[in-house]
Amino acid sequence: MRRAPRGAAGLCASALFAVSMPTLFLGHFATYDAMAVCLLALTAWMLVVIAPRHWAWAAAVAPAAALAVGVKYASALFLPTLVLLYVLTAYRHHYTWRALLRGALFGAATLALLVGGPAASGYLSAIQSTTTARAHGDTPAGQILHDSARWAGPLVAVALAGTVTYARTARLAGWLPYRTSTGAGHVEIWVRQRTG
């Protein structure tokens, strides 16, 4: 938690997630959800850790994200969120285009692993036999959306507000990333922009 941006916010987010209705509901099933969530959390932690570092580290984290999808394919729904987390965290340490480049690299590396791995292992036929070939449920889409909004809506709203606030804090305060060279290599620091 201390590596997460704003340690108190990370601790609060963990507590909210632990007691949220979807987490409690899925915790009652003997499925792969717990392992998938663990791998997604590990991926998120690694992305926060590597955000200030070299862009090539993004490819090193991709196997953890791909493994989460391999454990439970529904984890793929969280990949865009992980890319966004990486971009917003990298934005605090790099210029906008560099943060976007890091997010694109992480997404592309993860996608490459997800396309290459299942094609070579027969994973796609397993998904077809266990999931897509099943009889479809008859729950109306409106009911699913209503339940999702009721269970996770407040938590998502708090998360979005925190994300926007976090991303804008340094820029609004006039802090900009500045890269300088030292005898040991390049160092990136934050400096306050002069206003006059």
Side-chain angles (χ1 to χ4, degrees):
M1 272 305 128
R2 64 187 179 83
R3 286 205 181 265
R6 307 253 199 273
L11 192 59
C12 181
S14 299
L16 287 173
F17 178 78
V19 297
S20 69
M21 188 59 172
T23 304
L24 295 174
F25 182 78
L26 288 175
H28 288 87
F29 296 109
T31 61
Y32 299 111
D33 294 284
M35 176 60 81
V37 169
C38 177
L39 288 168
L40 288 170
L42 176 66
T43 303
W45 177 79
M46 288 192 292
L47 289 174
V48 169
V49 169
I50 67 165
R53 299 189 178 149
H54 193 269
W55 59 267
W57 280 101
V61 178
L67 187 58
V69 177
V71 167
K72 184 167 179 73
Y73 71 92
S75 298
L77 295 172
F78 296 99
L79 293 180
T81 305
L82 289 172
V83 171
L84 182 61
L85 170 71
Y86 188 37
V87 168
L88 290 175
T89 309
Y91 177 74
R92 293 287 300 249
H93 303 281
H94 309 285
Y95 291 107
T96 304
W97 70 272
R98 288 185 178 177
L100 292 172
L101 172 69
R102 284 165 169 75
L105 176 62
F106 169 69
T110 305
L111 186 61
L113 289 170
L114 291 175
V115 169
S121 66
Y123 186 72
L124 295 178
S125 62
I127 290 175
Q128 184 178 15
S129 65
T130 61
T131 305
T132 58
R134 281 189 195 169
H136 296 286
D138 57 356
T139 306
Q143 179 67 36
I144 293 171
L145 290 174
H146 177 265
D147 288 343
S148 298
R150 187 172 53 115
W151 287 359
L155 188 59
V156 170
V158 169
L160 287 175
T163 300
V164 169
T165 303
Y166 171 74
R168 294 177 48 99
T169 300
R171 300 292 174 169
L172 290 177
W175 290 91
L176 295 172
Y178 176 74
R179 185 167 267 245
T180 183
S181 295
T182 65
H186 295 292
V187 175
E188 192 158 73
I189 57 174
W190 284 81
V191 294
R192 183 170 291 279
Q193 185 179 19
R194 293 182 185 261
T195 57

